[in-house]
Amino acid sequence: MMEAKRKWDVKKLGPLIGLVLLCMVLSVLSDDFLTMDNWLNLLRQVSINALIAFGMTFVILTGGIDLSVGSVLALSSAITAGMMAQGINGFVAIFVGLLAGTAMGVLNGVLITKGKVAPFIATLATMTAFRGLTLVYTDGRPVTGFASSDILFQMMGRGYFFGIPVPIILMLVVYLVLYIALKKTTFGRHTYAIGGNEEASRLSGLRVDRLKMYVYALTGALSALAGLILTSRLNSAQPTAGTAYELDAIAAVVLGGTSLSGGKGWIFGTLVGALMIGVLNNGLNLLNVSSFYQQVIKGAVILLAVLLDRRKEA
Amino acid sequence: MRPLIDMRSIQKSFGTNIVLNGVDFEVLPGEVHALMGENGAGKSTLIKVLTGIYDRDGGTIVVNGRDVHYRHPKEAERDGIVVIHQELNIIPTLTVAENIFLGREPKIGRTGVIRYKEMEQQAAAHLRRLGMDLNPRELAGRLSVGKQQMIEIARAISTNAKCLIMDEPTAALTEREIQALFSVIQTLKEQGIAIVYISHRMEEIFTICDRISVLRDGQFIGTKRVKETNVDEIVQMMVGRQIGERFPKRRVTIGEERLRVERLTKIGVFENVSFSVRAGEVLGVAGLMGSGRTEIMEAIFGARPFDEGDIYIDGRPVRIRSPRQAVEHGIAMITEDRKQKGLVLEMSVHENLTLPKLEQLATAGFIQSSKERDVVLSFIHLLNIKTSSPDLAVKALSGGNQQKVVFGKWLAMNPRILILDEPTRGVDVGAKKEIYEIINELAAQGVAIVMVSSELPEVLGMSDRVMVIHEGNVQAVLENDGLDQETIMRAATGGNR
C-alpha cells in the first residue's frame, strides 16, 4: 500500500516536472528568461489567468464548466470603470464591480441548479449575453478618463508591495485561501464529493444546489477581480477584454491534472498549469517567435501534456 | 462425455499476490455449471484467464479437445465461448436487431449498406429460438433489463455459442424475469449449450444448476453434483468454516412507535401506503421488483416527491422534502444501488465514512482532522471493514466491504430510523452474516429498521413483521410467526391476503 501511495504522489508531480523542464529549456535558449524583471513581469501576466483558473478548478471539480468568465470579466470591469469615470470613489467602484461579478456567477448557478440547464449550455448563453451587455453599456468603446483618480484602484494592477507587484500578491493570497478551503474545510470536501457522485452526495444530505451556487459565484467574483487588475494595468476597460480567456483557464486546470469529469484534481496543479501557459507565452515572445506560430506551439504543448498524463493512467 | 472446456492446474499471480493456485474447472456440453466463491475467491480471474483477458502463468486449457491459449476475448468467441456480463453491453438508442448484429450486420456487397429486412428476420428467428416474442425494431432502451439480457443471449447464440458464461445474471431482474431466464436456460441446455452460472444466490443455484464448483482464496475446493449436496455443505466449502446459523438470533424488547406513514401516495407509483415501525423492530418489506418498494422508501427519505400522505416521527408530524431534512430527523437510508447512489467511488474509505456528518466534525467549516480520524478508525474497527488503509479509494474494496462502508457512513450519524434497500445485494456469504449482525445490533440499540429485500429467506430470517407490496399498494402486513415464503409470494403476486 505504501508503494501505491508513493506512485500516486510521483504521478501528481507530473505537471511540476513539465514546468521545470520548460523553464530549463527556455533559460538555455534565452539569456533574458531567468532575470528578476522578466519573472515579475511574467507572474504579473499569469495572475489574471490564474485567478480565473482557480475558480474554474472548483467548477470543474463539481463536474461543471464555466464559459462565461471572459464576459463576466469584461462586464464587471466596465461597470467599475464607468463608475470611476463618473467620479465615484474607487473603493465603492471596486466593491460594486466584484459584487457584479459575483451576481453574474450566482445567475449561472441558478440556471444550472434551479433551471437544470447543462453548465456548458447555460454559461455559453450567459457568455454571449454578458458580452452583449458590455457592448451595450460601453457603446462598444473603451471606458477611460479615470487616469489618476484613485490610488487604491491604481495599486491593483500597477502597485508594488515590498517590491512585489500587487497582482502577484493577490494571486498568492487567493491561492492560499482556496488551497486551505479545498483541503481543510467541509466546503472543499463537499466539492469533491459532488463531482465524484452527485446523487450519492444528495442522498447523504449534502446541499448540492447551494454548493454549486457558491462555486459559480466564486468563479464570477474571481473573474471580476482579474478584470479589475487588467483594467487598472491598461488604465481603461475594453469592451472586448477577456475574449477567449475561458480557454486559457480551462487549459490551466487540465494541464494541472484536474479531471474534466469532476471529482478529481487539485488547485496546486492549476497554479502550475497557469504558470506553464505563462512561461510558454513569455518564452516564445523572448525568442521572437511569430504570434501565429505561438498558437500552434501552445496547442501542441497542451496536447503533449495531456497525452503524457493519459499514458501514466493506463 | 468429452468436456467442452477443460482447465487444469491454472496458475495466475499479480506481483507477489497469487490469485489462482492450481485451479481445475471443467464444463460439459449442455450442463449448467455454477461457479461459486466469496468475492475475491478468483471467479472473475478464472473467467478472464479462460477468455484471454489475462495471460495465465501456468496450466492448460483444452476447448473441444484442442489446446488453446486465447489472447483476446474475440478468439474465445470464435470457439463459441461468450461472456454475458452483469452490466449489459446494450446500446439503448439502437433497435433490438441492430444490437444483436452490432459489428456483424448483413450488408449489400461491400457498400456498408445494411440489409435491414434480412437482419430483422434473422433477429426474430434467434429470439424465437429462445422462446422470446420481441419486436426486432423496438429500441433496446425501451425494454426492461430482463429483455435486454435476452438480446445479449440472442446475440450470443447468433454467433453459434457453445458456452455462455453468465455473471450474476439475475441481480437486476424481477421474479417474473428470473423465471423467464430460467426457461431460456432450460431451452439452451436442451440444444446442447453449456452455461457457466456465477451467482451468490443459493436458492437459484439449487434450482437451475447441475453441478457446482467452489473456489476459495484462489484454490479449487471441489465440484459437487447439486443432487448430492446441500446449501450448508456449499457454504462451508466457500468460507472454509462452518458459519453456523445463516441468520443470527436476536433478543430485543420492542419499544414505542418511531415512524408512522399514513396514506402516502404518488399517483401512478404507489397509493395509500400506511405502516408503522417501532423502536427495536425490523419491518421486512417484500414485493416484486417494480412493485414500488424502492419508490416508497425514497419518498419517505425525501429523495423523491409524493402527492399526498403524512409522515410521523415519535407521533409528531414531520415535513421531509429532501434527504437533508430526513437526515436532520434522524432517518438514514442505505440505497439499493451502492455504486450509483451510495458511495463516491473515487473517494477514500475515510472520506466516504464521514460524508453525511462532516459538518459535525468541523469547527467553522474547518474539518478537525484528528477528530475525523478517530471516528473513521473506530468505524473501520467496529464494522470490521477490510481495507489496507483508510485512505484507499473505496472502489478498490470488495462488494461486502463497500457495503460495510455504506453502513458505517450512516451509523456515524446515530440514526433513529434506518431504511435498508437490498442491504446484502452483491455481498458474499461471510460478509452477509456480518451485516445481519450489524442490523441486529442496531435494533438492540433501539433503532427502528425498515428492510426492503428481494431475498425471501433474508426477509423471513431478519424481520419481526413483513409488509408485502403489490403494484404500489400494501397487500399485507404479516406477523413473522410461522410465516413461509409461499405466503409472502402469494401476497406479492397479488393473491388473497
Side-chain angles (χ1 to χ4, degrees), chain B residues 13-30:
Chain B
S13 341
F14 294 114
T16 55
N17 189 12
I18 300 168
V19 285
L20 292 176
N21 193 4
V23 172
D24 296 339
F25 185 56
E26 170 201 84
V27 182
L28 300 173

Side-chain angles (χ1 to χ4, degrees), chain B residues 164-446:
Chain B
L164 295 188
I165 299 169
M166 297 185 167
D167 188 5
E168 297 271 359
T170 57
L173 300 191
T174 65
E175 200 62 40
R176 223 165 298 169
E177 287 172 328
I178 291 175
Q179 292 313 318
L181 174 69
F182 283 0
S183 74
V184 165
I185 289 178
Q186 200 59 42
T187 314
L188 293 172
K189 224 176 116 163
E190 282 157 16
Q191 296 172 8
I193 295 173
I195 314 276
V196 175
Y197 194 93
I198 302 173
S199 174
H200 287 300
R201 296 190 179 175
M202 284 294 179
E203 284 73 20
E204 284 175 9
I205 282 169
F206 276 81
T207 313
I208 192 76
C209 297
D210 302 306
R211 292 198 295 167
I212 302 174
S213 287
V214 177
L215 299 184
R216 187 204 318 145
D217 299 332
Q219 307 271 353
F220 174 68
I221 304 301
T223 300
K224 297 273 175 191
R225 304 180 69 76
V226 165
K227 284 183 190 133
E228 292 157 11
T229 184
N230 55 48
V231 175
D232 289 341
E233 187 184 25
I234 297 295
V235 168
Q236 201 185 329
M237 285 166 78
M238 282 166 65
V239 297
R241 65 198 140 88
Q242 261 169 321
I243 61 168
E245 286 277 346
R246 273 172 80 193
F247 301 101
K249 286 275 171 287
R250 168 163 45 105
R251 302 241 174 276
V252 180
T253 25
I254 292 177
E256 295 283 292
E257 175 190 283
R258 247 316 137 64
L259 171 72
R260 180 153 47 95
V261 174
E262 281 186 3
R263 304 179 326 278
L264 200 68
T265 300
K266 169 77 192 174
I267 291 159
V269 187
F270 50 82
E271 264 168 59
N272 271 319
V273 173
S274 303
F275 67 90
S276 69
V277 202
R278 300 196 289 174
E281 187 184 33
V282 178
L283 175 71
V285 181
L288 303 177
M289 235 176 262
S291 61
R293 302 173 313 187
T294 298
E295 289 78 3
I296 294 167
M297 298 307 143
E298 288 182 348
I300 296 169
F301 191 61
R304 155 194 296 278
F306 54 89
D307 300 322
E308 268 174 70
D310 301 298
I311 298 170
Y312 298 85
I313 293 176
D314 297 327
R316 274 190 297 274
V318 292
R319 208 184 114 86
I320 296 173
R321 287 292 178 272
S322 70
R324 184 174 189 89
Q325 289 170 348
V327 171
E328 277 161 3
H329 282 109
I331 307 179
M333 176 159 175
I334 291 177
T335 49
E336 168 182 35
D337 188 339
R338 173 163 69 231
K339 288 182 178 154
Q340 299 297 325
K341 297 184 173 179
L343 295 168
V344 184
L345 289 171
E346 294 288 343
M347 283 183 132
S348 64
V349 172
H350 148 192
E351 288 166 322
N352 272 287
L353 275 172
T354 55
L355 198 54
K357 278 281 141 159
L358 197 58
E359 279 139 355
Q360 302 201 344
L361 298 170
T363 320
F366 284 86
I367 301 164
Q368 307 285 298
S369 325
S370 60
K371 216 161 145 192
E372 190 187 15
R373 202 88 192 156
D374 290 347
V375 170
V376 167
L377 291 178
S378 73
F379 276 99
I380 288 179
H381 178 73
L382 183 73
L383 301 175
N384 191 23
I385 298 169
K386 292 188 190 79
T387 174
S388 54
S389 148
D391 297 318
L392 190 67
V394 77
K395 66 177 175 189
L397 302 190
S398 70
N401 282 300
Q402 285 185 354
Q403 189 69 342
K404 289 189 212 162
V405 173
V406 178
F407 267 85
K409 149 180 160 174
W410 287 114
L411 298 194
M413 62 163 267
N414 289 318
R416 306 184 67 235
I417 297 162
L418 180 62
I419 301 173
L420 306 167
D421 196 357
E422 302 285 3
T424 62
R425 169 173 293 176
V427 168
D428 56 53
V429 184
K432 255 185 188 175
K433 188 167 181 203
E434 286 181 74
I435 287 174
Y436 295 143
E437 275 161 358
I438 296 167
I439 295 173
N440 283 344
E441 175 58 30
L442 289 170
Q445 288 168 14

Side-chain angles (χ1 to χ4, degrees), chain B residues 64-79:
Chain B
N64 268 326
R66 197 166 54 86
D67 256 304
V68 295
H69 204 136
Y70 303 125
R71 279 156 305 175
H72 194 276
K74 277 258 178 311
E75 296 182 9
E77 278 180 29
R78 233 165 277 150
D79 279 354

Side-chain angles (χ1 to χ4, degrees), chain A:
Chain A
M1 189 52 227
M2 280 316 290
E3 201 184 348
K5 190 145 188 191
R6 217 176 306 137
K7 255 188 217 156
W8 186 69
D9 282 340
V10 169
K11 200 185 137 195
K12 282 183 90 171
L13 287 177
L16 194 59
I17 294 168
L19 176 65
V20 171
L21 283 177
L22 198 60
C23 289
M24 278 161 66
V25 172
L26 286 172
S27 59
V28 172
L29 291 178
S30 163
D31 291 338
D32 300 326
F33 180 72
L34 267 187
T35 59
M36 190 66 169
D37 273 355
N38 185 49
W39 268 88
L40 288 182
N41 180 37
L42 184 160
L43 287 172
R44 191 162 45 192
Q45 281 166 355
V46 163
S47 66
I48 290 171
N49 182 31
L51 285 169
I52 299 172
F54 292 158
M56 191 71 84
T57 307
F58 280 78
V59 167
I60 289 179
L61 278 175
T62 64
I65 195 98
D66 188 347
L67 301 179
S68 72
V69 288
S71 301
V72 171
L73 177 153
L75 183 52
S76 46
S77 302
I79 291 170
T80 300
M83 285 174 73
M84 289 178 44
Q86 287 166 27
I88 294 170
N89 171 287
F91 181 80
V92 175
I94 290 170
F95 182 75
V96 172
L98 291 175
L99 205 65
T102 311
M104 287 182 255
V106 169
L107 178 64
N108 282 332
V110 169
L111 290 172
I112 289 160
T113 58
K114 303 296 170 206
K116 306 210 185 310
V117 184
F120 189 96
I121 309 292
T123 60
L124 182 68
T126 55
M127 169 176 92
T128 313
F130 293 157
R131 180 68 63 190
L133 282 175
T134 315
L135 291 166
V136 170
Y137 182 73
T138 61
D139 208 11
R141 285 188 290 268
V143 183
T144 53
F146 48 91
S148 54
S149 59
D150 194 280
I151 188 72
L152 182 68
F153 188 73
Q154 298 261 326
M155 283 288 286
M156 283 190 79
R158 284 179 282 169
Y160 286 83
F161 205 71
F162 295 114
I164 301 168
V166 172
I168 301 178
I169 295 172
L170 284 174
M171 168 178 82
L172 292 177
V173 168
V174 169
Y175 170 76
L176 213 64
V177 170
L178 294 182
Y179 174 86
I180 292 169
L182 207 46
K183 199 124 189 162
K184 302 277 181 199
T185 69
T186 52
F187 172 67
R189 181 76 61 80
H190 289 171
T191 302
Y192 281 110
I194 288 169
N197 188 340
E198 187 169 330
E199 185 61 8
S201 300
R202 194 170 71 93
L203 292 173
S204 297
L206 268 53
R207 293 185 175 104
V208 174
D209 286 359
R210 188 184 296 191
L211 184 124
K212 282 189 173 176
M213 211 91 86
Y214 287 160
V215 161
Y216 285 93
L218 173 71
T219 305
L222 290 175
S223 304
L225 179 61
L228 297 181
I229 293 171
L230 185 68
T231 309
S232 164
R233 253 175 63 195
L234 300 176
N235 225 342
S236 75
Q238 304 286 335
T240 55
T243 307
Y245 275 23
E246 67 282 354
L247 299 180
D248 269 351
I250 295 168
V253 175
V254 172
L255 278 175
T258 294
S259 155
L260 274 181
S261 48
K264 271 191 296 189
W266 54 333
I267 196 160
F268 176 71
T270 301
L271 180 64
V272 173
L275 284 171
M276 274 171 100
I277 295 171
V279 164
L280 207 57
N281 281 335
N282 175 272
L284 294 173
N285 276 333
L286 288 179
L287 296 174
N288 284 322
V289 177
S290 99
S291 65
F292 300 163
Y293 276 111
Q294 283 196 18
Q295 295 197 25
V296 178
I297 295 171
K298 254 170 73 178
V301 168
I302 293 172
L303 260 184
L304 186 72
V306 176
L307 284 174
L308 284 175
D309 210 44
R310 282 280 160 283
R311 179 147 303 188
K312 264 178 292 166
E313 238 159 68

